């Protein structure tokens, strides 16, 4: 392969068909799989057009042929009550004859630099290879729990003050999610682009049911479809125990139509404990990865817990790609929880990688655990300080892009 012929540049919507063809080849999406969810090739291209127009898409070209690509969606997420601009990394792929040339590493490096320039200090992605993205600086930050509930294990109906209404999937569930996401750590604040990606691969007969509280406010929803006597739950969210109960009342009301319920949940809370018959099947799997793009900038907005005294930590941070996250830092946390990270010249005994820093500050793994498994090198007093300074809540991420 003559690398001199290759050039990296932004991918415009003029190359949408090539972009889509590369994705289909790399992820082995067949015409049969497309038709199974009601899509045709040209419909996918049309659906992706507005998304690609808003995204930052970079690619390597061999002449005028797109051979490797990444896309970054402009998104927002909530992190412990703060809103962050987030780069949603997706559309990653390289044709096999162009592999092992370092093309993807260069694309990821440039994509991260672009994110930093745009103020996107955190990046999410759904990994096709966890080891690969770990080597590039990403780390796991969320799980998904898939479950199967037999019809006789469904919870018995309990009275609630609100009501459940079936709605169109482009209707009130948008407001229900917005109310939920605003108060939920890790959640994506979905705009039109994010909702488009959320629905993209769902069957045509997918439905939604929204729980309204006594004030007629949408407090939760279940997204579902029914096929072959199975009630499939794509997602269920709720802002209160009342809403959770009301939504499960709705699911259980299908008792005579179904033999079991299958679905996924994303909070760090197994479903079995909430059921009278807890002997259901649950399978936990890693879901999304994230990485901090610019550590000092990320920390400047990060809400550490308040304390009666100021806190300080000196450490060496490593990052396999970005120089802005490499070197010795002093992290200062004020009494009210305001963080400030600054570079220092003196060597530090404490060591942490950007991968570990990300999963720790996102609340997926605790400092004490990370220290015990050798991912965080610091003394006991520092570990205790970090335990006290970082909120204890795992991220909720139910999106797919």
């Amino acid at each position: 392969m003559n690398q001199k012929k290759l050039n990296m540049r932004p991918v415009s919507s003029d190359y949408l068909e090539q972009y889509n063809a590369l994705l289909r080849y790399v992820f082995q999406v067949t015409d049969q799989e497309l038709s199974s969810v009601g899509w045709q090739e040209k419909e996918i291209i049309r659906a992706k057009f507005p998304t690609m127009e808003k995204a930052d898409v970079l690619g390597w070209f061999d002449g005028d042929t797109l051979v490797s690509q990444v896309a970054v969606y402009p998104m927002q997420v909530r992190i412990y009550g703060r809103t962050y601009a987030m780069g949603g990394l997706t559309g990653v792929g390289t044709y096999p004859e162009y592999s092992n040339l370092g093309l993807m590493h260069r694309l990821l490096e440039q994509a991260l630099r672009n994110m930093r320039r745009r103020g996107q200090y955190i990046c999410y992605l759904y990994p096709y290879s966890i080891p690969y993205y770990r080597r590039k600086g990403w780390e796991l930050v969320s799980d998904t729990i898939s479950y199967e509930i037999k019809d006789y294990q469904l919870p018995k109906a309990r009275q609630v003050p609100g009501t459940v209404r079936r709605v169109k999937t482009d209707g009130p569930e948008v407001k229900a999610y917005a109310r939920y996401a605003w108060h939920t750590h890790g959640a994506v604040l979905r705009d039109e682009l994010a909702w488009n990606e959320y629905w993209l691969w769902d069957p045509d007969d997918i439905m939604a049911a929204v729980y309204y509280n006594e004030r007629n406010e949408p407090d939760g929803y279940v997204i579902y479809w029914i096929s072959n006597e199975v009630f499939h739950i794509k997602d269920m969210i709720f802002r209160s125990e009342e809403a959770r109960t009301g939504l499960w009342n709705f699911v259980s009301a299908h008792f005579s139509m179904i033999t079991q319920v299958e679905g996924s949940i994303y909070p760090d809370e197994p479903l079995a404990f909430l059921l009278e018959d807890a002997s259901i099947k649950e399978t936990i799997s890693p879901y999304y990865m994230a990485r901090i793009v610019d550590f000092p900038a990320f920390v400047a907005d990060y809400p550490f817990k308040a304390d009666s005294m100021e806190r300080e930590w000196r450490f060496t941070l490593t990052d396999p790609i970005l120089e802005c996250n490499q070197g010795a830092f002093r992290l200062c946390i004020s009494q009210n929880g305001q963080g400030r990270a600054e570079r220092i010249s003196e060597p530090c005994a404490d060591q942490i990688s950007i991968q570990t820093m990300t999963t720790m500050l996102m609340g997926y793994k605790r400092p004490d655990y990370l220290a015990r498994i050798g991912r965080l090198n610091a003394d006991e007093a520092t570990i205790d300080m970090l335990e006290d300074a970082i909120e204890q809540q795992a991220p909720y991420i139910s999106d797919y892009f």
Side-chain angles (χ1 to χ4, degrees):
M1 182 64 61
N2 184 359
Q3 293 193 49
K4 292 182 179 179
K5 292 170 54 183
L6 302 178
N7 67 92
M8 182 172 66
R9 64 177 190 263
V11 181
S12 71
S13 56
D14 295 338
Y15 293 90
L16 183 56
E17 289 195 30
Q18 289 196 45
Y19 172 88
N20 183 60
L22 177 50
L23 283 184
R24 287 192 59 187
Y25 185 91
V26 170
F27 294 104
Q28 302 170 50
V29 180
T30 65
D31 288 333
Q32 182 179 357
E33 288 171 315
L34 284 178
S35 16
S36 71
V37 291
W39 284 106
Q40 297 295 325
E41 170 74 15
K42 292 189 182 299
E43 290 177 319
I44 282 284
I45 293 172
R46 285 197 299 270
K48 279 290 186 183
F49 183 81
T51 301
M52 193 174 179
E53 287 282 282
K54 297 177 183 178
D56 176 29
V57 187
L58 297 171
W60 281 97
F61 288 82
D62 187 347
D64 201 42
T65 302
L66 180 63
V67 300
S68 183
Q69 66 190 28
V70 297
V72 178
Y73 294 165
M75 294 177 148
Q76 289 186 314
V77 295
R78 294 287 284 174
I79 297 178
Y80 295 125
R82 301 283 175 86
T83 300
Y84 277 78
M86 182 269 285
L89 190 73
T90 186
V92 179
T94 302
Y95 282 121
E97 62 268 33
Y98 294 89
S99 61
N100 300 316
L101 299 177
L103 303 185
M104 187 51 63
H105 183 89
R106 292 275 304 279
L107 285 176
L108 292 175
E109 180 179 17
Q110 188 59 52
L112 287 166
R113 293 186 189 283
N114 291 353
M115 285 184 233
R116 186 184 181 210
R117 190 177 66 251
R118 290 192 298 267
Q120 297 165 332
Y121 301 134
I122 185 78
C123 171
Y124 282 9
L125 68 82
Y126 178 77
Y128 68 84
S129 169
I130 292 172
Y132 177 83
Y133 285 110
R134 273 181 165 159
R135 292 196 298 271
K136 303 302 180 184
W138 279 263
E139 187 51 272
L140 292 168
V141 294
S142 78
D143 294 325
T144 178
I145 301 174
S146 58
Y147 57 84
E148 294 179 10
I149 306 173
K150 301 298 183 184
D151 53 359
Y152 56 82
Q153 296 175 310
L154 288 167
K156 293 179 173 58
R158 292 163 47 197
Q159 190 169 358
V160 291
T163 58
V164 174
R165 300 176 211 155
R166 287 182 296 113
V167 299
K168 295 181 179 179
T169 53
D170 58 354
E173 83 287 342
V174 175
K175 293 181 181 178
Y177 178 81
R179 284 164 54 83
Y180 175 82
W182 188 256
H183 299 282
T184 301
H185 169 55
V188 174
L189 299 178
R190 292 183 193 143
D191 58 7
E192 184 179 358
L193 182 153
W195 276 111
N196 179 61
E197 290 296 300
Y198 181 79
W199 296 120
L200 190 60
W201 298 106
D202 290 320
D204 288 338
D205 54 354
I206 199 162
M207 296 173 274
V210 175
Y211 179 85
Y212 293 87
N213 62 27
E214 287 182 291
R215 297 178 298 281
N216 203 36
E217 298 167 328
D219 262 1
Y221 64 61
V222 57
I223 309 294
Y224 70 99
W225 73 97
I226 303 171
S227 65
N228 300 320
E229 299 185 330
V230 176
F231 192 105
H232 298 271
I233 296 180
K234 173 182 170 73
D235 196 10
M236 180 187 288
I237 62 168
F238 41 85
R239 294 193 63 217
S240 65
E241 179 63 15
E242 169 196 314
R244 186 190 74 82
T245 301
L247 291 169
W248 276 107
N249 284 350
F250 174 79
V251 175
S252 296
H254 293 77
F255 175 86
S256 63
M257 301 168 51
I258 61 175
T259 57
Q260 69 179 34
V261 174
E262 297 178 4
S264 298
I265 53 176
Y266 301 92
D268 186 23
E269 181 183 87
L271 177 63
F273 187 77
L274 300 171
L275 300 175
E276 182 179 352
D277 184 349
S279 57
I280 66 171
K281 181 180 178 181
E282 289 186 306
T283 305
I284 187 168
S285 304
Y287 193 50
Y288 258 71
M289 302 183 81
R291 70 119 71 215
I292 292 171
V293 176
D294 183 322
F295 173 69
F298 180 84
V299 162
D301 281 337
Y302 185 85
F304 291 98
K305 292 164 71 174
D307 202 338
S308 58
M309 56 187 297
E310 294 186 353
R311 293 143 286 176
E312 182 180 290
W313 180 29
R314 296 170 183 247
F315 58 92
T316 297
L317 180 64
T318 61
D319 188 312
I321 294 181
L322 292 174
E323 292 180 2
C324 64
N325 297 328
Q326 300 169 359
F329 289 88
R330 177 171 57 231
L331 173 63
C332 302
I333 307 174
S334 67
Q335 289 177 291
N336 65 3
Q338 179 69 46
R340 186 182 78 257
E342 56 189 21
R343 288 189 175 275
I344 54 177
S345 56
E346 60 264 30
C348 302
D350 292 5
Q351 305 276 335
I352 188 170
S353 67
I354 196 66
Q355 296 94 323
T356 303
M357 182 69 79
T358 299
T359 200
M360 180 175 73
L361 293 183
M362 289 297 291
Y364 181 69
K365 297 298 178 188
R366 299 299 301 169
D368 179 68
Y369 172 77
L370 293 167
R372 281 190 281 114
I373 65 171
R375 292 282 299 270
L376 170 58
N377 183 12
D379 60 31
E380 189 173 342
T382 299
I383 300 302
D384 288 344
M385 182 274 290
L386 291 171
E387 281 284 343
D388 291 339
I390 298 170
E391 296 281 357
Q392 295 194 35
Q393 186 180 357
Y396 165 92
I397 306 171
S398 64
D399 291 68
Y400 179 79
F401 51 81

